[in-house]
Amino acid sequence: APPEWDWRDKGAVTKVKNQGMCGSCWAFSVTGNVEGQWFLKQGDLLSLSEQELVDCDKVDKACLGGLPSNAYSAIKTLGGLETEDDYSYLGHLQTCNFSAEKVKVYINDSVELSQNEQKLAAWLANKGPISVAINAFGMQFYRHGISRPLRPLCSPWFIDHAVLLVGYGNRSAIPFWAIKNSWGTDWGEEGYYYLHRGSGACGVNIMASSAVVN
Amino acid sequence: APPGRAAGAQSWEAASSELLGPARFALEMYNRGRAAGARAALGAVRGRVRRTGQGSLYSLKATLEEPPCNDPMVCQLPVSKKTLLCTFEILDELGKHMLLRRDCAPVDTKITDDRNETFSSFLPLLNMDPLPKDLSVKMASIFKDFVTTYNRTYETKEEAQWRMSVFVNNMVRAQKIQALDRGTAQYGVTKFSDLTEEEFRTIYLNPLLKEEPRKKMRLAKSISDP
């Protein structure tokens, strides 16, 4: 893999969004991944609808949580995703208002990725931003910098937040993952979180996945 | 500071030799876990000391020189040495040192965080025994700053008082997280600082992620092309 990579520099990442008072991080992680996959395959960056997943993915639990693997299946079953503008985010569950005519993006499949962080870096640089799930220890009070909590405090067994890997690199020889969060731009580094790379910090390597767009 | 000075008095012109002990302790904590060739070295140190009832509180600004990185496990391309500017707060009580704050950033970083300087300087006050008489005034002032910054509103005075107590408790939590972090992250006041841990977890996090079983997907092929 290249020594550093950032999909934000390549135009594959939409602006940071805000899930509001709703546990819908899973939807934001997945739409972020699909946005990247569509951009790489079709050359068009579209901001996609999380509300469609919140309302219409009946396997997941809307604001009470969900799994990216279920969300990918829901997108396939529904037939695709509408854009953010067409199906705007409200931050709470409502009746599914999906319209097949308004679908702008579809996916063909989804895959689970390696737990090896070097392989994840290579996959990211080659294929696009990656949906991951992490232990959110410390994130309530995170302001900036590269987070590296002690392993017992940030166990990979207690993953509780889904986010999007958009890049990686080094700051002062400390390797990091650049992570797009969904708590607005007034949190962290303009909405981004930087987590130590290479040590399995906070379980970042445990649940990596991506949609596949042919 | 001259011996015999009253406890709590501030000494802003401490002799450099007095700062070296705490500075070396801070460096030792910074380098903990690092191999010999990867340890940072101490550069210039300046600071101040405040005397408390049972010890001294040192606030230091120090430059650390990070060695060049040639380990491909850490950095794929060699990285030249870097200079960091660090802020440390060390409490020395009865000869025992405790690191209360560690905040380092490259000297060329564009991120400034003047606001957190105030919040972090306040945290050691919470550990003093007895607590300073004007602590509640300081707490209220910083909480008011938070409310203004993040445009928080509370329905009743009682709720505002409750949220202030949660805020103070969270500042202590943030301090502990900071002390235990081995990276360069800074923790402190955020827009979530008036939420209890339970509230934050319930509203913003996703407990389903740790549950098994979850739907299995096929494993992607590794990238083999250069």
Side-chain angles (χ1 to χ4, degrees), chain A residues 111-114 119 123 127, chain B residues 218-224:
Chain A
V111 288
E112 192 175 308
L113 304 181
S114 170
K119 290 184 179 177
W123 202 96
K127 301 286 191 183
Chain B
R218 70 178 172 89
L219 194 61
K221 282 188 217 171
S222 293
I223 303 300
S224 52

Side-chain angles (χ1 to χ4, degrees), chain A residues 40-70:
Chain A
L40 266 76
K41 275 293 181 330
Q42 307 289 342
D44 199 8
L45 181 67
L46 298 173
S47 185
L48 301 175
S49 174
E50 295 79 22
Q51 193 67 41
E52 178 187 326
L53 291 172
V54 168
D55 294 341
C56 307
D57 173 358
K58 298 305 182 186
V59 177
D60 286 317
K61 301 280 190 288
C63 291
L64 298 181
L67 295 173
S69 52
N70 293 335

Side-chain angles (χ1 to χ4, degrees), chain A residues 69-185:
Chain A
S69 52
N70 293 335
Y72 298 128
S73 291
I75 295 172
K76 283 176 66 180
T77 302
L78 289 165
L81 281 170
E82 296 184 41
T83 63
E84 198 78 68
D85 287 342
D86 285 344
Y87 200 149
S88 301
Y89 188 70
L90 294 175
H92 58 84
L93 176 65
Q94 57 173 8
T95 305
C96 177
N97 192 28
F98 174 74
S99 172
E101 292 81 35
K102 291 185 182 175
V103 163
K104 296 292 193 300
V105 167
Y106 61 84
I107 68 172
N108 298 97
D109 198 3
S110 59
V111 288
E112 192 175 308
L113 304 181
S114 170
Q115 294 188 357
N116 179 304
E117 286 183 83
Q118 287 185 314
K119 290 184 179 177
L120 279 178
W123 202 96
L124 183 144
N126 197 280
K127 301 286 191 183
I130 298 172
S131 168
V132 295
I134 57 175
N135 183 327
F137 176 81
M139 290 178 73
Q140 182 178 356
F141 308 114
Y142 171 83
R143 292 175 64 91
H144 59 77
I146 299 172
S147 175
R148 190 182 181 186
L150 289 174
R151 191 174 178 87
L153 298 176
C154 207
S155 169
W157 296 106
F158 295 100
I159 285 171
D160 51 12
H161 190 42
V163 288
L164 185 74
L165 298 185
V166 299
Y168 63 87
N170 294 283
R171 280 183 191 171
S172 300
I174 299 174
F176 66 82
W177 289 110
I179 293 173
K180 186 186 185 190
N181 200 5
S182 50
W183 294 345
T185 55

